[in-house]
Amino acid sequence: LTQMVVTLPGLNSKTLQKDIETDILHLAGIKFIETSLISKTLILNYDSRKLSLEAIDHIFHKWGCSPGESSFQALNSMQ
């Protein structure tokens, strides 16, 4: 598993938050998702063998929410 933490400067409403979470949850390989309107961040745990970053980026852009800084961490060692 991989954990991605990404800032979403355009995350500014509960509706947008719900729309992005719903679309991402429909992707293959998603294990966990959490977004925060306060910090404007998204945390995503996913199987990188089943999901590409392009698919995630496509959802961000679909909702007009360009991602900012992102970081990745392998979670295999944490199991």
Side-chain angles (χ1 to χ4, degrees):
L1 285 179
T2 300
Q3 181 176 76
M4 174 175 80
V5 179
V6 61
T7 59
L8 296 172
L11 187 62
N12 56 15
S13 73
K14 285 253 182 227
T15 303
L16 180 60
Q17 181 182 26
K18 182 178 175 294
D19 289 339
I20 289 173
E21 285 187 10
T22 299
D23 273 4
I24 288 177
L25 281 170
H26 285 103
L27 298 173
I30 299 297
K31 304 298 182 194
F32 171 83
I33 182 171
E34 183 174 273
T35 56
S36 169
L37 283 173
I38 294 170
S39 63
K40 297 183 184 285
T41 56
L42 176 140
I43 299 172
L44 187 65
N45 295 356
Y46 66 98
D47 184 338
S48 59
R49 295 169 296 178
K50 296 180 181 176
L51 180 64
S52 71
L53 292 177
E54 289 79 15
I56 299 168
D57 273 347
H58 175 75
I59 290 173
F60 293 152
H61 288 92
K62 170 185 173 181
W63 294 106
C65 198
S66 296
E69 292 183 28
S70 56
S71 63
F72 298 86
Q73 177 177 341
L75 297 180
N76 300 344
S77 59
M78 299 174 77
Q79 290 180 350

